[in-house]
Amino acid sequence: MTDSPADATPYEVLGVPATADDETLRRAYRRAARESHPDLGGDAQRFRRVQLAWERIGTPAARRAYDTGARPGSSSSAPTGSAAWRSGSGRDDYAPPTARRDSRPRARSHGHPGGRSREVFLAAEREWVGLGDPVEDPYDPVLVRSAPRHVRRLLGEALAEEATAAIIADMGIGVTVWHDLDAGAEGKLDHAVLTTTGLWAVESIDWGGPVHVEHGEVVGETLAPGERPVKELVRAARAVQKQTRVRFTGRLLVVPDSAVDEDVELIGTPRKPTAFIVRRGALGQVLSGSWSPEGSVDVFAIRDRLQQTVRFV
């Protein structure tokens, strides 16, 4: 359990409503702990999530702090409350920094990372709240945490895209990135990243839970029914490729470090990979070439072509 809005809330982990009384909460914790305990045939990851949930709301003081919007483990130097989920609000697991600590040149960037996802989140949240009801702060943790998970996940996607953008920006002036590319009927492609190793189609996703690769697709308990991330990435990349007439070197699905066990995992076959699922913490290494397949591309020609043909959502 991280501090992503896409995560299950402690109440959801324990299987009780946020209005449950203390005794109901204790019974739910005991039942969940018993069912998930590894010594009793349960799942270790599930057991750990149950323990973390109890740490957050198991005492009146902890529950009161969580219910009023406090971030677990927050410090005076970290953004708290709604600031933690605002675009450009501070350097944490998701949001890009507001100020540079050095004068190194940054990657060339075009488009607005997370912009469309935030628009979709705000519209979905507004519909959930009710069109006639005022919303003073759409990023208020109390409001966000009480929203249905599919609404919270939209904010998680925006934050994930912004986190990827922050990593790419720190790779330096030799890198160019386009965000929120128009993929026509396929929606959008989160990022197209051009480095000396190639042009990469990149999607940033946070499902709020662990995932794994099965039969060439990413699967997990927290994916929506019928969701096929790899297929969707392939289609979006092909649409942008057709529009720009520039081929992608490869396709990457960037996920939170806690979502997978390996830094990089192949989807498909080594001779003809469909995509790679990449931990966020390893993305810089993958794009810089320390892991990427050997080879180089004509950066100037590709950049010029994309500048002339790319469209944004």
Side-chain angles (χ1 to χ4, degrees):
M1 187 183 300
T2 66
D3 195 41
S4 166
D7 287 346
T9 68
Y11 297 105
E12 290 171 338
V13 171
L14 298 178
V16 296
T19 55
D21 59 37
D22 291 344
E23 181 57 31
T24 300
L25 192 64
R26 281 193 291 271
R27 288 199 302 267
Y29 164 68
R30 295 191 189 104
R31 181 176 60 253
R34 184 173 58 252
E35 292 174 350
S36 61
H37 199 291
D39 292 345
L40 300 176
D43 178 75
Q45 285 189 333
R46 163 69 176 163
F47 182 72
R48 177 58 178 161
R49 290 196 295 272
V50 168
Q51 300 310 307
L52 288 174
W54 184 246
E55 288 177 12
R56 292 191 176 187
I57 61 173
T59 67
R63 185 178 184 182
R64 185 164 52 251
Y66 178 84
D67 288 345
T68 54
R71 296 178 67 230
S74 64
S75 66
S76 59
S77 60
T80 58
S82 63
W85 290 338
R86 291 187 182 279
S87 179
S89 62
R91 184 182 289 277
D92 63 359
D93 287 345
Y94 301 92
T98 57
R100 295 289 293 161
R101 296 183 180 180
D102 56 56
S103 57
R104 291 179 298 172
R106 310 197 79 190
R108 298 177 178 89
S109 178
H110 306 278
H112 186 182
R116 175 53 64 88
S117 293
R118 282 188 180 271
E119 290 178 356
V120 175
F121 159 71
L122 292 172
E125 184 188 54
R126 165 55 66 190
E127 182 177 356
W128 165 68
V129 170
L131 297 179
D133 296 327
V135 178
E136 294 184 3
D137 181 2
Y139 300 108
D140 177 5
V142 176
L143 177 64
V144 172
R145 289 170 177 170
S146 63
R149 196 169 186 180
H150 74 274
V151 175
R152 304 198 310 268
R153 184 180 149 182
L154 295 171
L155 177 56
E157 290 181 2
L159 296 169
E161 292 169 33
E162 291 164 7
T164 293
I167 292 170
I168 296 169
D170 283 337
M171 293 182 65
I173 200 170
V175 175
T176 305
V177 56
W178 294 262
H179 303 289
D180 271 5
L181 292 80
D182 185 359
E186 304 302 332
K188 74 180 182 77
L189 179 66
D190 290 348
H191 325 272
V193 186
L194 177 60
T195 74
T196 56
T197 64
L199 178 66
W200 301 88
V202 181
E203 288 284 303
S204 304
I205 308 181
D206 183 358
W207 291 285
V211 297
H212 63 278
V213 177
E214 188 175 290
H215 303 303
E217 188 54 89
V218 175
V219 298
E221 292 182 0
T222 54
L223 271 70
E227 187 174 1
R228 303 187 64 183
V230 175
K231 186 175 182 179
E232 292 165 10
L233 169 57
V234 170
R235 286 180 171 177
R238 285 176 176 169
V240 173
Q241 200 166 266
K242 182 178 180 180
Q243 170 194 322
T244 61
R245 298 185 182 179
V246 177
R247 292 186 61 82
F248 285 105
T249 303
R251 311 177 189 99
L252 309 178
L253 281 167
V254 182
V255 300
D257 290 1
S258 59
V260 291
D261 296 328
E262 303 292 335
D263 283 348
V264 182
E265 185 173 356
L266 168 70
I267 303 174
T269 65
R271 293 189 63 181
K272 193 175 181 181
T274 303
F276 299 89
I277 187 166
V278 181
R279 272 180 166 172
R280 185 180 296 146
L283 178 62
Q285 294 179 338
V286 171
L287 292 174
S288 66
S290 60
W291 176 89
S292 304
E294 295 183 3
S296 61
V297 296
D298 188 337
V299 171
F300 297 103
I302 294 177
R303 185 165 60 208
D304 182 63
R305 178 66 185 170
L306 284 172
Q307 286 292 81
Q308 294 181 42
T309 57
V310 74
R311 297 194 301 263
F312 300 100
V313 294

